[in-house]
Amino acid sequence: ADVIEELEQTLATPTPLLRGIADAMVEEMERGLRADPHAPLKMLISYVDNLPTGDEHGLFYALDLGGTNFRVLRVQLGGKEKRAVQQYEEVPIPPHLMVGTSTELFDFIAAELERFVETEGDDFHLPEGRHRELGFTFSFPVHQTSISSGTLVKWTKGFCINGTVGEDVVAELSSAMERQGLDMKVTALVNDTVGTLAGGIYADNDVVAAVILGTGTNAAYVEHVDAIPKWKGPLPRSGNMV
């Protein structure tokens, strides 16, 4: 018992220390929101100013590219009454494509996406006259310029592909889908934390943040726009920004 008590005391985190850590983190977050060039937390603007409510209806696709595998998913949303029906597949990326050209990589992804679309079953219904919409989770450093565009800053995680750095990754994917003859539009480019936050809040409206603990650590939360000094442009109607 004495040993356990001593261990508890050694590992204890007193409340004043926790409050000090929280205060220091808030200070670093505020520096990032001001665009302080030396801020360790970058506080990246996602351009997502509205999150799901659970009332959404329709057929949507998602592509998650962030490592040696990518995932494709489709989901039929039926509002709060029917909730979601979903299917997904995980596809390994051949090693030679991780060091090849941008065209080769995105053509491979578009071909796999088309193959997945062709397996659409009776549980999934696209309204007549509507394009298939795709959310693109791209977990590499990106300078985002709108909800559906962003330029690649650099490749990480073993990728070293010529011709993509400085280019809009949504445009690269869209061109590949066009070459494939796939009638689909990328409507959102998001980081994996933003996708996790959207999925969490769809299921539970009390969710306030999402955290990724993986190769790296990242988080997303909703901030009031008037607390983001570096925000330029019209204020979103919601008054919020992820």
Side-chain angles (χ1 to χ4, degrees):
D2 291 342
V3 172
I4 293 174
E5 191 174 324
E6 183 182 347
L7 182 63
E8 283 182 337
Q9 290 175 353
T10 304
L11 299 179
T13 311
T15 301
L17 177 59
L18 286 174
R19 287 183 177 143
I21 293 170
D23 290 344
M25 187 170 180
V26 168
E27 186 178 324
E28 299 296 358
M29 291 168 70
E30 288 174 345
R31 286 177 63 192
L33 292 171
R34 293 194 302 269
D36 180 337
H38 303 297
L41 297 179
K42 298 306 177 189
M43 306 302 289
L44 301 171
I45 293 171
S46 70
Y47 292 88
V48 174
D49 59 4
N50 275 299
L51 288 165
T53 63
D55 292 319
E56 291 76 14
H57 290 73
L59 172 62
F60 302 94
Y61 278 78
L63 166 65
D64 177 13
L65 175 61
T68 53
N69 297 326
F70 69 87
R71 285 168 288 276
V72 287
L73 174 144
R74 67 174 145 252
V75 58
Q76 184 80 42
L77 301 180
K80 287 189 170 72
E81 302 79 25
K82 292 187 178 178
R83 304 304 286 178
V85 178
Q86 65 180 33
Q87 294 175 336
Y88 86 98
E89 285 185 13
E90 190 160 327
V91 182
I93 298 174
H96 72 276
L97 293 181
M98 295 173 63
V99 293
T101 67
S102 180
T103 299
E104 289 171 335
L105 174 66
F106 283 102
D107 279 354
F108 173 76
I109 291 171
E112 290 295 324
L113 188 54
E114 182 185 39
R115 185 184 60 78
F116 183 65
V117 169
E118 287 173 351
T119 65
E120 214 172 83
D122 294 337
D123 290 333
F124 301 90
H125 311 285
L126 182 71
E128 194 172 338
R130 289 285 300 274
H131 290 281
R132 288 180 177 82
E133 296 181 57
L134 178 74
F136 185 16
T137 298
F138 186 75
S139 302
F140 297 93
V142 165
H143 173 60
Q144 194 143 355
T145 49
S146 77
I147 184 66
S148 59
S149 62
T151 57
L152 178 66
V153 176
K154 65 176 180 178
W155 286 108
T156 55
K157 306 175 188 177
F159 283 78
C160 184
I161 295 173
N162 296 322
T164 321
V165 173
E167 297 296 327
D168 182 352
V169 293
V170 172
E172 294 286 319
L173 176 61
S174 298
S175 295
M177 291 192 298
E178 198 172 309
R179 288 191 294 271
Q180 199 67 33
L182 182 56
D183 184 21
M184 185 174 280
K185 181 182 179 184
V186 179
T187 53
L189 172 68
V190 297
N191 179 271
D192 53 359
T193 52
V194 180
T196 302
L197 178 62
I201 209 164
Y202 177 83
D204 181 350
N205 292 142
D206 291 330
V207 168
V208 296
V211 180
I212 297 289
L213 302 172
T215 308
T217 303
N218 203 2
Y221 77 105
V222 179
E223 182 62 270
H224 297 295
V225 176
D226 55 13
I228 311 175
K230 68 181 178 182
W231 171 257
K232 305 291 184 234
L235 294 178
R237 281 186 200 169
S238 68
N240 297 322
M241 182 63 63
V242 176

